[in-house]
Amino acid sequence: LFIWDRCCPRRAAKIATWGAPTLLKITKDVLGGLLVYDFWFTICHYTLHKIQPLYRWFHAKHHETREVRACEQVHLTGVEEVLDVGISILTLNFLRAHPFSRSIYNVIITFLLTELHSGYAFPWSPQMVVPMGLWNGSYGHQYHHRTGRFHYQKFFCTIDRIFGWVDRSYLGRKGRYYSTPEAEVANVEAPVTPQLSMAPVPVRVEG
């Protein structure tokens, strides 16, 4: 970026006119960016699943394994990578996010993507902290990878619930994703206590 700014001084001059952002501006940019990004991602993700040629050509690679691992977040086709990154860029441009907000957004969304595919549910994981079960998290995404259906949202789960894209048999009290006997019938194993080996399902780590 330093070299790019040296080669394109007008870009550096434009950034300099922004000034220091307020805490409220950063919060609005980051939270708004996640909400808008998640909305457009959900539409694209659902479309890729429902139109079989698109699924085979562009999305099947991400579903080659039924178990989620952190590295799966980058196990994508070139089209998916362009689509995913493009949605983020267009979202931040639409919100006119401050450059500093963009930097924080990039760090947060990278963490969230890694946590989503980690296969673990720690006490401090967003799905365990966000109230009313409004966060999808590794439980819901693990279910999606194992079944290829339901839980199309990446982070939140409001759209999933509105359109019935949630398997309610896999929801425990307070709307969080705890396994039930019905969920096991659906070929989704219950979270287990972490062992030394890599667990094949989301592991809930107690505090």
Side-chain angles (χ1 to χ4, degrees):
L1 287 176
F2 174 77
I3 296 175
W4 179 256
D5 287 339
R6 296 292 293 179
C7 296
C8 302
R10 287 188 299 176
R11 177 180 180 273
K14 182 179 179 181
I15 292 177
T17 62
W18 282 82
T22 63
L23 181 59
L24 178 61
K25 171 65 173 173
I26 295 173
T27 302
K28 289 170 57 178
D29 287 345
V30 174
L31 182 58
L34 291 175
L35 287 168
V36 176
Y37 164 85
D38 200 49
F39 172 79
W40 287 111
F41 171 84
T42 303
I43 294 176
C44 295
H45 190 200
Y46 182 81
T47 301
L48 288 176
H49 271 273
K50 295 305 177 181
I51 301 178
Q52 286 304 307
L54 295 181
Y55 178 84
R56 290 195 304 269
W57 298 336
F58 305 128
H59 193 51
K61 178 179 179 180
H62 188 63
H63 282 269
E64 287 179 347
T65 60
R66 296 174 65 244
E67 316 301 341
V68 290
R69 295 290 179 267
C71 60
E72 295 300 320
Q73 66 165 312
V74 292
H75 191 62
L76 308 169
T77 62
V79 172
E80 281 185 296
E81 291 179 357
V82 172
L83 185 66
D84 205 6
V85 175
I87 292 174
S88 268
I89 294 174
L90 291 175
T91 294
L92 295 175
N93 287 344
F94 171 75
L95 296 175
R96 297 183 60 82
H98 190 279
F100 187 71
S101 300
R102 289 172 180 260
S103 300
I104 296 177
Y105 170 89
N106 289 335
V107 172
I108 291 177
I109 199 170
T110 300
F111 163 76
L112 292 176
L113 288 170
T114 305
E115 189 274 335
L116 187 71
H117 294 87
S118 68
Y120 288 91
F122 294 100
W124 58 83
S125 297
Q127 63 189 348
M128 311 300 290
V129 177
V130 177
M132 301 173 61
L134 296 177
W135 197 265
N136 192 7
S138 58
Y139 277 100
H141 204 64
Q142 172 73 19
Y143 186 103
H144 174 75
H145 268 259
R146 279 182 164 261
T147 65
R149 57 194 178 94
F150 294 117
H151 311 291
Y152 296 103
Q153 274 189 275
K154 182 173 283 187
F155 301 133
F156 303 95
C157 59
T158 49
I159 299 176
D160 284 339
R161 292 187 177 188
I162 291 173
F163 289 97
W165 298 339
V166 172
D167 186 349
R168 297 190 179 278
S169 67
Y170 197 47
L171 289 177
R173 290 185 302 174
K174 299 183 180 180
R176 293 201 176 99
Y177 296 99
Y178 297 102
S179 186
T180 65
E182 292 82 0
E184 294 180 15
V185 172
N187 200 28
V188 180
E189 299 178 14
V192 297
T193 304
Q195 305 294 328
L196 292 178
S197 59
M198 294 297 291
V201 293
V203 176
R204 186 182 179 195
V205 182
E206 299 290 350

